[in-house]
Amino acid sequence: MTHDHLSPARMGSTPQDYARFGIEPGAIKPHEDGLRTDGGPGSYEWWYFDAHLDDGAKLVVVFFTKEFTAIGKPLAPMIRIDLTLPDGTTVEKLAEFDASTFTASTDTCDVRIGANVFAGDLHTYTIRAKAEDVEVDVTLTGTVPAWRPESGHWLFGEDGEQIFAWLPSVPEGRVEATYSLAGRSTTTTGVGYHDHNWGNTVMLKLMHHWYWARGSAGPYSVIASYITAEKQYGYSTLPVFMLARDGKLIADDKSKVTFEELGSYTDTDTGTGKPVANVTRYTYSDGDERYVVTYTRHSDLSTVKFADNLTPPKRFAAKLAGFDGAYLRFVGEVRIEHYEGGKLVESHVDDALWELMYFGKARP
């Protein structure tokens, strides 16, 4: 009888881990939102922004060093803009650039791709981007301070040699935005978010799937995620939880979090074939005090089978290899409840978006 050897997966949290990455516990510095890789083969990196705008529009802007699945390639910068108009029309644009157009500071967030800019100081950001006939000009001002779960580096393998890193530089902020489509401009305000990811190993080799969500309701802001590592890592679970009230952090100890998936179904309507929970719930228990954050799905905003976005030869190769990764983004509500000694003392509800990223095959 043989037993598969399982490798460890953990969040970096030891003094040695912090020293390795040149960071400090609980003290985030501007260089952490600067360039953290060299952009070359064996790395990926991106800076992400999204906003819910007061006119009903939704906006996503991402600056990439390269397509994150093409980790073996040299620097190949890209910008993605997804704009959902108030009437529900969605425009998705991807602009690719020559490597010579890319510059980024290692001291702070100052990323330039041609005339496009993603720059800020962990509090105030300027984002200007254009892809074909879509153009955006955004100012994001943080209302919740920059945060990370411990070191923000998930480490995979015996020596933690494989890395997936994440920094929520602006967990929540005020947005002033002008967006233009085919020459027609709209200026509005809203609520936004910015984070930064990088790593040295293709994510689908490390992670089987994750739920990731953020949102706000009443005085509360939340970021919550539940990551399941790949089979090689024993399908270990890696929870993330941050809760702030009136802009101040009140809860972020992952050991106090439990996660539930309720009302699960298999997504056959869009053909991903993935198991999906209609309700995801994060419960944070700290002595007699308990916070319950519940996301309830109303509909799908988008569903993507990764293989469908490949060129025909790559799509055929992906199917031969059995790759059937998918991404689902949901629209619904978040409810944040506060209990003291078993008694509900506060409850707030608001609209929310969240996602299920499913790299692996559905588990039997």
Side-chain angles (χ1 to χ4, degrees):
M1 178 182 283
T2 60
H3 295 277
D4 291 336
H5 175 70
L6 298 180
S7 298
R10 65 181 179 90
M11 168 59 74
S13 58
T14 68
Q16 293 80 8
D17 295 330
Y18 285 101
R20 173 183 173 185
F21 300 116
I23 57 178
E24 301 171 25
I28 298 168
K29 303 294 176 63
H31 81 269
E32 296 184 50
D33 206 18
L35 186 69
R36 302 306 303 272
T37 70
D38 62 7
S43 71
Y44 64 83
E45 189 163 7
W46 72 79
W47 294 259
Y48 171 96
F49 162 81
D50 74 33
H52 299 200
L53 300 175
D54 293 337
D55 67 349
K58 298 176 181 67
L59 177 63
V60 174
V61 181
V62 194
F63 283 38
F64 298 89
T65 58
K66 67 182 73 167
E67 182 186 351
F68 70 85
T69 58
I71 197 165
K73 291 186 176 179
L75 178 67
M78 306 187 305
I79 294 173
R80 187 180 108 211
I81 303 176
D82 296 347
L83 174 63
T84 302
L85 299 174
D87 67 4
T89 303
T90 297
V91 181
E92 300 176 346
K93 300 291 185 181
L94 185 68
E96 299 177 333
F97 296 83
D98 188 85
S100 63
T101 67
F102 179 89
T103 63
S105 171
T106 56
D107 297 325
T108 190
C109 178
D110 189 354
V111 185
R112 313 279 172 136
I113 303 177
N116 305 282
V117 178
F118 200 129
D121 59 3
L122 299 179
H123 179 67
T124 304
Y125 285 77
T126 297
I127 302 160
R128 292 194 300 270
K130 183 177 182 180
E132 297 179 22
D133 59 348
V134 179
E135 191 167 1
V136 299
D137 189 339
V138 173
T139 300
L140 171 66
T141 305
T143 54
V144 175
W147 171 83
R148 57 170 143 73
E150 298 177 290
S151 74
H153 291 70
W154 284 273
L155 308 177
F156 298 80
E158 297 296 337
D159 300 316
E161 61 274 17
Q162 297 164 316
I163 296 168
F164 172 68
W166 175 58
L167 176 70
S169 318
V170 180
E172 186 170 291
R174 296 188 308 274
V175 169
E176 299 172 7
T178 298
Y179 62 86
S180 303
L181 176 61
R184 292 189 60 184
S185 292
T186 302
T187 298
T188 185
T189 54
V191 177
Y193 166 90
H194 157 50
D195 70 11
H196 177 190
N197 284 91
W198 62 97
N200 64 3
T201 303
V202 177
M203 286 187 286
L204 61 89
K205 292 185 177 180
L206 305 178
M207 286 166 280
H208 186 266
H209 69 277
W210 74 54
Y211 281 96
W212 181 90
R214 69 177 186 86
S216 58
Y220 292 99
S221 306
V222 64
I223 299 174
S225 181
Y226 200 73
I227 300 168
T228 300
E230 252 300 346
K231 181 180 180 180
Q232 176 185 347
Y233 306 98
Y235 297 120
S236 344
T237 54
L238 304 163
V240 174
F241 189 84
M242 184 220 78
L243 186 67
R245 181 186 170 95
D246 296 322
K248 291 185 169 50
L249 180 69
I250 59 171
D252 73 344
D253 183 346
K254 69 178 185 295
S255 70
K256 298 178 179 179
V257 178
T258 57
F259 176 73
E260 298 172 86
E261 299 176 63
L262 306 170
S264 293
Y265 66 97
T266 300
D267 175 43
T268 54
D269 289 349
T270 62
T272 69
K274 303 303 183 187
V276 178
N278 261 314
V279 176
T280 49
R281 178 174 294 145
Y282 302 81
T283 300
Y284 190 94
S285 301
D286 189 3
D288 287 339
E289 200 164 30
R290 183 161 49 99
Y291 292 95
V292 180
V293 179
T294 304
Y295 289 87
T296 302
R297 171 184 168 273
H298 292 168
S299 63
D300 298 339
L301 182 63
S302 66
T303 56
V304 177
K305 294 172 69 176
F306 294 143
D308 290 346
N309 289 336
L310 300 173
T311 60
K314 286 185 177 179
R315 190 181 312 145
F316 181 67
K319 288 181 178 177
L320 284 179
F323 174 63
D324 65 348
Y327 171 84
L328 299 94
R329 194 164 177 83
F330 312 112
V331 178
E333 68 174 40
V334 59
R335 182 179 298 273
I336 302 176
E337 299 169 305
H338 179 200
Y339 292 83
E340 290 181 351
K343 180 183 177 183
L344 178 64
V345 295
E346 201 176 6
S347 180
H348 301 276
V349 65
D350 212 328
D351 296 337
L353 300 175
W354 64 101
E355 70 182 31
L356 170 59
M357 181 78 84
Y358 219 109
F359 294 111
K361 288 185 168 299
R363 289 171 64 184

